[in-house]
């Protein structure tokens, strides 16, 4: 469910991010890609998590423009799989994929969408919050399961002693 939610965020973000990265004549006096996308995030109500990444990539996999949404520290860039970039069909369905960062242990959920002229827009969101939530849920489920097993054991022991005492 959490990964599906990230996928929905990425799908919603691809068109505004593509508009921000492919704009040839910026309306706001040559604003950088990060500023253009930040403005588009605000206009369209996009909710990309901190550490997200966007790039405009040519057909050979070379990044032409990029924007990072890391506040406070420089987030690593995700590894962009070549098969997502090479000759994508113009109307092909964009399928999100999980990839690792170029450096570090960060995992990203990434979507690539062709935008014409042999270019592809790539939008990636880190899965750090998703993985932290999964670890927390596994811990809670383990503790609760352990407590239930102990409670059942205590109840079974008490019931067995009570019923076998007359014998």
């Amino acid at each position: 469910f959490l990964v599906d939610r990230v996928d929905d965020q990425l799908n919603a973000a691809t068109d505004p991010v593509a508009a921000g990265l492919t704009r040839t004549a910026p309306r706001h006096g040559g604003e950088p890609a990060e500023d253009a996308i930040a403005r588009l995030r605000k206009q369209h109500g996009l909710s990309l998590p901190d550490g997200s990444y966007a790039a405009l990539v040519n057909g050979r996999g070379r990044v032409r423009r990029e924007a990072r949404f890391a506040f406070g520290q420089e987030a690593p860039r995700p590894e962009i799989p070549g098969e997502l970039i090479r000759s994508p069909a113009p109307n092909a369905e964009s399928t999100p994929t999980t990839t690792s960062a170029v450096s570090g242990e960060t995992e990203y959920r990434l979507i690539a969408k062709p935008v014409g002229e042999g270019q592809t827009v790539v939008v990636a969101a880190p899965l750090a919050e998703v993985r932290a939530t999964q670890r927390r849920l596994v811990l809670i489920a383990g503790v609760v399961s352990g407590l239930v097993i102990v409670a059942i054991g205590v109840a079974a022991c008490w019931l067995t002693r009570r019923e076998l005492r007359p014998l």
Side-chain angles (χ1 to χ4, degrees), residues 59-160:
R60 290 183 248 162
R62 186 168 177 226
V63 175
R64 296 193 54 222
R65 292 182 85 184
E66 66 181 5
R68 297 173 193 239
F69 306 104
F71 301 105
Q73 64 179 13
E74 185 70 21
R77 186 174 74 80
E79 183 74 41
I80 300 172
E83 62 270 7
L84 293 178
I85 305 303
R86 290 189 202 101
S87 64
N91 295 326
E93 183 70 26
S94 300
T95 305
T97 185
T98 302
T99 186
S100 59
V102 173
S103 63
E105 298 179 11
T106 306
E107 276 188 308
Y108 284 90
R109 193 71 175 162
L110 179 137
I111 191 167
K113 182 179 180 183
V115 291
E117 302 174 18
Q119 297 182 20
T120 303
V121 67
V122 174
V123 182
L127 292 176
E129 291 179 22
V130 171
R131 299 297 182 232
T133 302
Q134 287 175 335
R135 283 191 299 272
R136 203 172 309 126
L137 287 173
V138 167
L139 177 67
I140 290 170
V143 168
V144 169
S145 297
L147 291 174
V148 167
I149 288 173
V150 167
I152 289 172
V154 168
C157 184
W158 173 78
L159 188 62
T160 303

